[in-house]
Amino acid sequence: MIEELVKKNRSCRRFFQNIAIGRDTLRELVELARLSPSGANLQPLKYMLSYEPKKNALIFPHLAWAGYLKDWHGPAEGERPAAYIIVLGDADISRPFECDQGIAAQSIMLGAAEKGLGGCILGSIDREGLRKALEVPKRYEILLVLVVGKPKEEVVLEEIGPSGDIKYWRDGEGRHHVPKRKLEDIIIDS
Ligand SMILES: Cc1cc2nc3c(=O)[nH]c(=O)nc-3n(C[C@H](O)[C@H](O)[C@H](O)COP(=O)(O)O)c2cc1C
């Protein structure tokens, strides 16, 4: 089950923007993050939710998409995420935030995949721009933006080729291909 879910949980960047995602769904996803591990159990992460077109439009311009696809600058209007979860670190609780945000993000993305949704973890963020746009108080560090929506693209996992190139690419039919390193290349036998 977990293997299937992990395989299904691909980074998706084009969506049916008109298929709305409600606050309850986002709360269910954040609930998975809430139950996830946290260094020293400090639980310093907080979450801002966005699921309405007006607020979504404030967030979108501050994100950078698929850096390896040089002639694609992110999803067009109509293919943008229907919802966003902004992962914040509460500096009044602790700093740094260890790797809590990565674990939380993966819990949320797996939960989204289980619901038949797709999403992507975004770390390339114009953080100051986003802070201003959403009036995020200074005590919160903007760590990640998670985008969520009904997937409108096919993502194919493949084994890395002989060149060793890890760059993802898109074929003529618009399918997104993601090369993964081989198992024997990532396990170090001493
Ligand atoms: C910490 C982190 C930051 C990421 N930041 C971005 C980003 O800013 N923009 C983007 O389009 N994808 C981003 N991604 C998605 C990766 O590009 C994606 O995970 C990778 O291409 C492998 O694809 P897969 O998730 O389908 O396995 C990020 C992923 C992680 C884990």
Side-chain angles (χ1 to χ4, degrees), residues 10 21 30 43 59 93 103-104 113 150 156 168 170 176 189:
R10 304 275 48 90
I21 293 177
V30 173
Q43 305 167 68
I59 299 168
I93 297 179
I103 296 170
K150 191 77 184 166
V156 185
Y168 46 76
R170 214 174 264 173
H176 183 89
D189 292 311

Side-chain angles (χ1 to χ4, degrees), residues 5 33 46 72 81 97 122 125 142 157 161 167 173 180 190:
L5 196 55
K46 304 284 171 72
W72 188 72
F97 305 105
L122 273 77
I125 307 161
I142 297 174
L157 281 188
K167 290 190 189 73
E173 272 83 54
K180 293 287 183 188
S190 56

Side-chain angles (χ1 to χ4, degrees), residues 80-93:
R80 293 178 181 168
Y84 298 80
I85 298 173
I86 299 165
V87 184
L88 305 171
D90 187 340
D92 283 2
I93 297 179

Side-chain angles (χ1 to χ4, degrees), residues 108-123:
I108 288 173
M109 289 294 123
L110 289 172
E114 192 182 44
K115 289 176 185 296
L117 300 172
C120 188
I121 300 169
L122 273 77

Side-chain angles (χ1 to χ4, degrees), residues 68-190:
Y68 293 141
L69 304 182
K70 293 298 174 205
D71 50 2
W72 188 72
H73 304 293
E77 185 62 45
E79 296 187 336
R80 293 178 181 168
Y84 298 80
I85 298 173
I86 299 165
V87 184
L88 305 171
D90 187 340
D92 283 2
I93 297 179
S94 80
R95 186 185 254 145
F97 305 105
E98 306 298 341
C99 55
D100 283 22
Q101 65 266 37
I103 296 170
Q106 181 70 346
S107 293
I108 288 173
M109 289 294 123
L110 289 172
E114 192 182 44
K115 289 176 185 296
L117 300 172
C120 188
I121 300 169
L122 273 77
S124 288
I125 307 161
D126 161 20
R127 288 180 167 76
E128 271 323 296
L130 186 59
R131 182 181 294 284
K132 279 193 196 122
L134 296 182
E135 298 176 10
V136 178
K138 273 212 157 32
R139 76 182 261 201
Y140 300 118
E141 190 176 319
I142 297 174
L143 300 173
L144 294 169
V145 174
L146 312 180
V147 308
V148 187
K150 191 77 184 166
K152 201 186 173 184
E153 73 177 0
E154 192 188 337
V155 180
V156 185
L157 281 188
E158 57 193 27
E159 240 178 41
I160 221 157
S163 71
D165 193 355
I166 47 68
K167 290 190 189 73
Y168 46 76
W169 56 284
R170 214 174 264 173
D171 67 26
E173 272 83 54
R175 275 186 301 265
H176 183 89
H177 295 254
V178 182
K180 293 287 183 188
R181 297 190 199 280
K182 295 189 189 103
L183 191 57
E184 57 264 35
D185 291 343
I186 63 170
I187 295 176
I188 310 298
D189 292 311
S190 56

